[in-house]
């Protein structure tokens, strides 16, 4: 049995946490003896995001000299490299056309065995920034298709999907308003301009509050972003959900949405597809690597823009999704929703794609690199 040590955040609600949880369980499922190094708060084992399997793996403790996979930004890799593990695999996750200053030097460090990337989008950014190609290995993210699957929502969400409205789901962060990479304001404006009050549609928005300041207010942010508060129906779900309950969120809807300016992978889209939601994504990031016109909808972008969001994105370019192209995609999706036979076939294709991209598949890709 292989032994692998995984270092990363695991109990929270960020994308890094979801990635870490999924990969650890995937490695365990393919027979790897997994050890975990992770920051632990008091009563960590009561976290609603941790399964019994994960709790038992964490309790085993770390194996710092074993081959180590570190799921953090490269600026933190030195924390583990100083332990001199047998092999070191750093997971590189970044959105945009190039990496932050200094990251390529860390990736090219002789102590780094391989640099793992979740998509060709991130690989291209790494190559452009000077990371050596023979260092890079593609290990895509995955999804637990036993947890994320089509079903009837529970936990108070039952009334959101009764078959009388075409529901679009947005489930990401939006803490920086118009400057946010997720582009919810673009989606909201496109939705409100394309659909008029009275059409059988609904936009369900679950904003991940883990990125928000305590004073963040959804309605105020809509106003600041220039979004109209009246118009086609909008449902805002503000409570944070335990990871195991996320399928109840996805199963409120028919389509899972992205208006992102760049994505290293976008787990939300794949999780939605596993629940048989049809993805609608821009041609701006890694979603294009698993979404196509057979299992979803792709729409164009307007132009390249300088990224926002602090020093990690200095000099990085994103692509601004086209509001008009998104409007056309929304209309096409609504027309598909009205044809139940064609809708069912596209939902089936979305699910089939997810079934070929599980965390067990990710673990197998990683094992090849190790």
């Amino acid at each position: 049995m292989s032994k692998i040590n995984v270092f990363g955040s695991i109990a929270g609600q960020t994308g890094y946490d979801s990635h870490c949880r999924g990969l650890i369980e995937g490695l365990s499922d393919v027979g790897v003896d997994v050890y975990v190094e992770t920051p632990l708060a008091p009563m960590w084992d009561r976290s609603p995001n941790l399964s019994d399997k994960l709790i038992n793996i964490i309790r085993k403790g770390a194996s710092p000299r074993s081959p180590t996979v570190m799921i953090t930004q490269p600026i933190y890799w030195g924390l583990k490299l100083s332990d001199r593990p047998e092999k070191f695999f750093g997971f590189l996750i970044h959105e945009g056309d190039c990496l932050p200053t200094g990251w390529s030097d860390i990736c090219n460090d002789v102590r780094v065995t391989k640099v793992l990337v979740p998509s060709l989008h991130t690989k291209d950014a790494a190559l452009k920034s000077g990371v050596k190609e023979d260092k890079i290995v593609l290990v895509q993210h995955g999804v637990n298709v036993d947890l994320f699957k089509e079903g009837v929502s529970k936990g108070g969400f039952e009334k959101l999907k009764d078959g009388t409205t075409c529901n679009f789901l947005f489930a990401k962060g939006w803490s920086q308003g118009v400057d946010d990479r997720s582009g919810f304001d673009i989606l909201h404006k496109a939705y409100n301009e394309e659909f008029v009050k009275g059409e059988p549609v609904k936009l369900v928005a679950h904003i991940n509050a883990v990125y928000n300041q305590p004073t963040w207010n959804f309605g105020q942010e809509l106003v600041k972003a220039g979004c109209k508060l009246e118009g086609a129906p909008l449902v805002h779900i503000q409570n944070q959900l335990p990871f195991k309950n996320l399928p109840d969120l996805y199963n409120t809807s028919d389509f899972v949405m992205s208006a992102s300016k760049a994505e290293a992978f976008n787990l939300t889209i794949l999780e939605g597809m596993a629940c048989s939601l049809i993805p609608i994504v821009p041609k701006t990031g890694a979603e294009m690597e698993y979404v196509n016109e057979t299992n979803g909808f792709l729409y164009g972008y307007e132009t390249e823009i300088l990224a926002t969001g602090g020093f990690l994105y200095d000099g990085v370019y994103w692509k601004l999704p086209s509001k008009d192209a998104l409007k056309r995609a929304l209309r096409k999706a609504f027309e598909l929703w009205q044809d139940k036979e064609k809708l069912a076939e596209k939902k089936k294709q979305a699910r089939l794609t997810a079934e070929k991209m599980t965390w067990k598949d990710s673990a197998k890709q990683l094992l090849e690199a190790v």
Side-chain angles (χ1 to χ4, degrees):
M1 179 184 291
S2 303
K3 180 186 288 188
I4 292 180
N5 189 58
V6 178
F7 185 110
S9 179
I10 189 173
Q13 293 178 300
T14 70
Y16 276 96
D17 290 277
S18 294
H19 176 196
C20 202
R21 285 193 295 267
L23 188 59
I24 290 168
E25 290 199 323
L27 288 168
S28 177
D29 288 342
V30 297
V32 175
D33 188 13
V34 192
Y35 294 80
V36 175
E37 287 186 80
T38 186
L40 294 174
M43 295 188 291
W44 63 269
D45 52 354
R46 298 186 186 181
S47 168
N49 298 314
L50 296 178
S51 64
D52 290 341
K53 178 192 288 187
L54 285 169
I55 290 172
N56 289 332
I57 292 173
I58 294 169
R59 281 178 172 155
K60 287 165 52 180
S63 181
R65 298 298 294 275
S66 297
T68 292
V69 176
M70 194 166 185
I71 305 175
T72 67
Q73 294 173 349
I75 52 178
Y76 302 111
W77 290 359
L79 296 173
K80 281 306 303 170
L81 288 171
S82 61
D83 286 342
R84 293 182 295 172
E86 178 184 333
K87 294 180 181 179
F88 178 89
F89 302 86
F91 232 110
L92 174 64
I93 302 169
H94 192 66
E95 309 86 7
D97 69 329
C98 62
L99 305 182
T101 302
W103 280 24
S104 59
D105 292 335
I106 300 170
C107 292
N108 288 328
D109 190 308
V110 295
R111 296 171 296 172
V112 175
T113 309
K114 294 291 181 183
V115 176
L116 311 177
V117 296
S119 62
L120 297 177
H121 172 85
T122 302
K123 179 179 179 179
D124 289 342
L127 291 172
K128 181 178 178 180
S129 300
V131 179
K132 297 175 182 176
E133 186 165 12
D134 62 0
K135 280 270 194 179
I136 304 172
V137 175
L138 178 66
V139 178
Q140 288 183 307
H141 288 352
V143 63
N144 181 347
V145 293
D146 294 323
L147 174 63
F148 290 90
K149 57 187 176 183
E150 188 173 8
V152 177
S153 293
K154 304 181 292 295
F157 294 139
E158 298 90 337
K159 295 181 181 179
L160 285 179
K161 189 177 182 182
D162 58 9
T164 64
T165 58
C166 174
N167 292 1
F168 302 94
L169 173 69
F170 175 91
K172 284 185 72 65
W174 188 53
S175 63
Q176 299 177 60
V178 294
D179 290 330
D180 200 281
R181 181 172 51 83
S182 73
F184 175 72
D185 50 302
I186 301 170
L187 168 60
H188 186 273
K189 291 173 183 176
Y191 169 79
N192 250 346
E193 290 179 18
E194 184 59 32
F195 299 114
V196 298
K197 193 172 182 178
E199 288 193 86
V201 295
K202 191 181 296 169
L203 176 59
V204 180
H206 180 264
I207 308 298
N208 190 341
V210 72
Y211 304 108
N212 297 345
Q213 296 295 323
T215 57
W216 192 91
N217 179 278
F218 182 62
Q220 292 176 358
E221 292 301 320
L222 286 176
V223 172
K224 285 193 285 186
C227 297
K228 294 181 180 179
L229 298 184
E230 70 279 358
L234 167 67
V235 176
H236 173 222
I237 299 172
Q238 61 182 354
N239 56 313
Q240 291 294 94
L241 302 175
F243 185 75
K244 64 182 179 182
N245 296 132
L246 284 179
D248 290 326
L249 171 67
Y250 288 108
N251 282 312
T252 63
S253 299
D254 305 286
F255 300 90
V256 60
M257 303 296 307
S258 173
S260 288
K261 299 158 191 173
E263 286 289 345
F265 186 85
N266 204 339
L267 273 172
T268 295
I269 295 299
L270 187 60
E271 290 170 350
M273 293 172 73
C275 294
S276 298
L277 273 66
I278 298 168
I280 303 177
V281 305
K283 299 175 181 178
T284 58
E287 300 108 321
M288 291 188 296
E289 297 171 32
Y290 55 93
V291 176
N292 52 55
E293 293 297 335
T294 299
N295 61 22
F297 294 96
L298 294 164
Y299 64 94
Y301 64 92
E302 290 182 5
T303 185
E304 290 191 345
I305 58 171
L306 268 174
T308 54
F311 71 94
L312 287 179
Y313 294 105
D314 286 347
V316 174
Y317 277 85
W318 291 337
K319 294 177 180 177
L320 183 67
S322 166
K323 183 181 67 173
D324 290 338
L326 176 50
K327 288 167 62 176
R328 291 191 292 271
L330 288 168
R331 180 58 63 180
K332 284 176 63 178
F334 176 66
E335 291 170 352
L336 178 71
W337 176 80
Q338 295 173 306
D339 187 328
K340 301 309 179 187
E341 186 175 334
K342 290 183 178 178
L343 179 73
E345 177 57 29
K346 205 147 194 167
K347 282 176 169 284
K348 176 183 175 182
Q349 293 301 321
R351 170 68 185 188
L352 287 173
T353 298
E355 288 176 350
K356 297 174 183 176
M357 299 180 67
T358 68
W359 285 116
K360 188 180 291 187
D361 294 318
S362 299
K364 290 176 181 177
Q365 294 171 13
L366 174 58
L367 283 179
E368 288 185 15
V370 174

